């Protein structure tokens, strides 16, 4: 039955890492089982040369990470319906093993409630997985697989039935927290999310703050995430906790200024449709180890 599940991959690129992109595409082509169909989206840039059989879409402007990935989803038909599973992979990543697609097929076949799988990200030179890449509060052991409440944006697999049911990534977010928005909607619809340590994407160790817009986007989208998804009583609790955590981390003056600018923007700008999760979903998140207040 798992052999019948069609797998596609969506990769977005700015066109500035052609060697890394080619290495990633080679690792996808080497996957066991039926070939993985691939779409590469040039997010406001031309797509570098790709192997024969890889489809490309070139966008006239950068739509951001969620916007670019949503275009990739639609390249597989409405809500990606031409395939059963979609892999979302960073263009400077590399699938470490040839059995990842087959493991995805097996996992989704054996567990009909499973909607999303988050891969383990490891540095290609050291094999180390950064703590921030383990999508749970108890992150000290990256080799332990578990149910989780969110997933890693550039190293995951999503059942396309989830996208058809709850929609794609939030275009408005552009960068940061778009995965948690989708994860919360999926969980609210009854789907589950797994972190799998045996499904590995090699990716160079980096700091998220390398992006110039990091602090503003993180703060703005955190507010949007709460406004869109949380029951009203939890919104101030969730945002209050994150304000406190941000201050405890003692960011630099410019970073803190950008963060508060984004926080204000989150309250004063449109965030898209509001669909607060059910209280039973709040309880489910709590039982999974991460109540939606942190």
């Amino acid at each position: 039955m798992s052999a019948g599940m069609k797998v596609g991959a969506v990769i977005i690129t700015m066109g500035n890492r052609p060697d890394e992109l080619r290495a990633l595409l080679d690792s996808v082509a080497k996957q066991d089982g039926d070939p993985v169909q691939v779409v590469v989206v040039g997010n406001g840039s031309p797509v570098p040369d790709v192997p024969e059989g890889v489809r490309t879409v070139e966008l006239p402007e950068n739509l951001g990470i969620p916007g670019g990935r949503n275009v990739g989803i639609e390249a597989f038909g409405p809500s990606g319906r031409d395939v059963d599973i979609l892999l979302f992979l960073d263009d400077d990543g590399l699938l470490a093993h040839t059995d990842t697609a087959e493991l995805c097929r097996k996992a989704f076949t054996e567990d009909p409630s499973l909607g999303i799988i988050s891969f383990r990200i490891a540095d290609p030179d050291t094999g180390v997985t950064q703590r921030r890449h383990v999508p749970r509060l108890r992150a000290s052991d990256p080799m332990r697989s578990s149910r989780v409440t969110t997933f890693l944006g550039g190293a995951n697999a999503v059942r396309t039935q989830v996208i058809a049911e709850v929609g794609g990534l939030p275009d408005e977010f552009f960068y940061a927290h778009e995965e948690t928005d989708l994860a919360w909607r999926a969980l609210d619809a009854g789907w589950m999310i797994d972190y799998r340590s045996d499904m590995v994407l090699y990716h160079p160790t980096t700091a998220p703050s390398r992006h110039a817009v990091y602090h503003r986007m993180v703060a703005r989208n955190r507010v949007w995430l709460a406004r869109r998804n949380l029951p009203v009583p939890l919104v101030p609790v969730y945002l209050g906790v994150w304000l406190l955590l941000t201050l405890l981390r003692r960011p630099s003056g410019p970073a803190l200024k950008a963060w508060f600018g984004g926080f204000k923007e989150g309250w004063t700008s449109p965030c898209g449709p509001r669909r607060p999760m059910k209280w039973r979903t709040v309880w489910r998140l709590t039982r999974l180890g991460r109540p939606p207040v942190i």
Side-chain angles (χ1 to χ4, degrees), residues 65-217:
I65 293 173
R69 287 184 176 142
N70 283 338
V71 169
I73 292 170
E74 295 302 307
F76 288 99
S79 301
R81 69 183 181 191
D82 294 344
V83 294
D84 304 294
I85 303 165
L86 279 175
L87 312 181
F88 295 92
L89 307 170
D90 277 350
D91 70 340
D92 56 345
L94 181 76
L95 289 174
H97 309 299
T98 62
D99 63 350
T100 302
E102 281 289 83
L103 288 173
C104 288
R105 291 184 179 101
K106 185 173 186 290
F108 285 121
T109 299
E110 292 181 349
D111 185 353
S113 70
L114 181 62
I116 302 171
I117 299 172
S118 189
F119 302 165
R120 180 167 63 90
I121 293 179
D123 184 272
D125 297 321
T126 65
V128 171
T129 296
Q130 293 179 274
R131 187 181 182 92
R132 70 183 181 90
H133 284 151
V134 182
R136 59 177 179 244
L137 292 179
R138 295 190 177 104
S140 60
D141 181 9
M143 301 307 294
R144 179 174 66 88
S145 299
S146 69
R147 294 284 200 200
V148 289
T149 61
T150 188
F151 62 99
L152 305 174
N156 66 79
V158 179
R159 192 191 295 265
T160 52
Q161 188 179 344
V162 173
I163 298 168
E165 186 172 340
V166 307
L169 296 156
D171 288 336
E172 304 94 332
F173 281 41
F174 196 85
Y175 164 77
H177 303 318
E178 66 272 5
E179 304 91 355
T180 300
D181 187 88
L182 176 57
W184 282 1
R185 284 182 281 125
L187 288 162
D188 196 48
W191 296 100
M192 300 302 292
I193 305 170
D194 279 355
Y195 165 73
R196 289 283 297 264
S197 64
D198 57 335
M199 302 182 189
V200 181
L201 183 85
Y202 284 146
H203 189 282
T205 298
T206 56
S209 54
R210 70 190 186 280
H211 298 290
V213 297
Y214 172 76
H215 296 287
R216 180 176 70 87
M217 293 290 195

